């Protein structure tokens, strides 16, 4: 299964972006999906996750109230709407498919089976 995150770009502080996550050679349906990010010189960190049915979501404290994760079953897609962006949000954003039954480990990289190439988000001040 190959995941691909897209939709990144350069935006001014306070602006918005919508990231998308698509799967090829497999599906996102039936699986929880998480978003992580990695800034230059920093470790990859958890950003957000959504359950397989979209009934629950979780966010890192640093993004609560500004980022929203959602999914669209018909298109087998997961999205990350990013509002009120800050320069500290600058990073490469990755989506990943959580192992079945691992929701309690959603903040841990090792709980994800498949990762995609990331998309760069750059927020200028």
């Amino acid at each position: 299964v190959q995941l691909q995150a897209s939709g990144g770009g350069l935006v001014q502080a306070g602006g918005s972006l919508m990231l998308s996550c698509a799967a090829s050679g497999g599906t996102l349906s039936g699986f929880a999906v998480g978003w992580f990010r990695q800034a230059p010189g920093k470790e990859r960190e958890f950003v957000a996750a959504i359950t397989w049915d979209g009934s629950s979501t979780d966010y890192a404290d640093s993004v609560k109230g500004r980022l929203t994760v959602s999914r669209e079953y018909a298109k087998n897609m997961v999205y990350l709407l990013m509002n009120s962006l800050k320069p500290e949000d600058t990073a490469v954003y990755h989506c990943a498919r959580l192992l079945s039954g691992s929701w309690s480990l959603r903040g841990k990289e090792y709980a994800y089976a498949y990762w995609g190439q990331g998309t760069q988000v750059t927020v200028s001040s």
Side-chain angles (χ1 to χ4, degrees), residues 44-92:
R44 190 155 54 184
E45 63 175 357
F46 171 77
V47 174
I50 186 167
T51 52
W52 69 273
D53 61 352
S55 62
S56 294
T57 57
D58 189 31
Y59 300 92
D61 288 343
S62 59
V63 306
K64 281 181 181 177
R66 300 188 298 116
L67 273 58
T68 303
V69 59
S70 61
R71 63 192 309 160
E72 187 173 5
Y73 283 98
K75 295 185 177 180
N76 195 29
M77 298 283 289
V78 174
Y79 305 100
L80 186 67
L81 175 60
M82 309 172 71
N83 292 323
S84 302
L85 283 163
K86 304 176 181 180
E88 51 264 44
D89 293 318
T90 295
V92 176

Side-chain angles (χ1 to χ4, degrees), residues 90-113:
T90 295
V92 176
Y93 285 72
H94 300 267
C95 59
R97 199 179 83 176
L98 189 66
L99 292 166
S100 295
S102 300
W103 181 248
S104 63
L105 300 175
R106 58 194 175 274
K108 307 296 185 182
E109 292 183 52
Y110 61 76
Y112 291 83

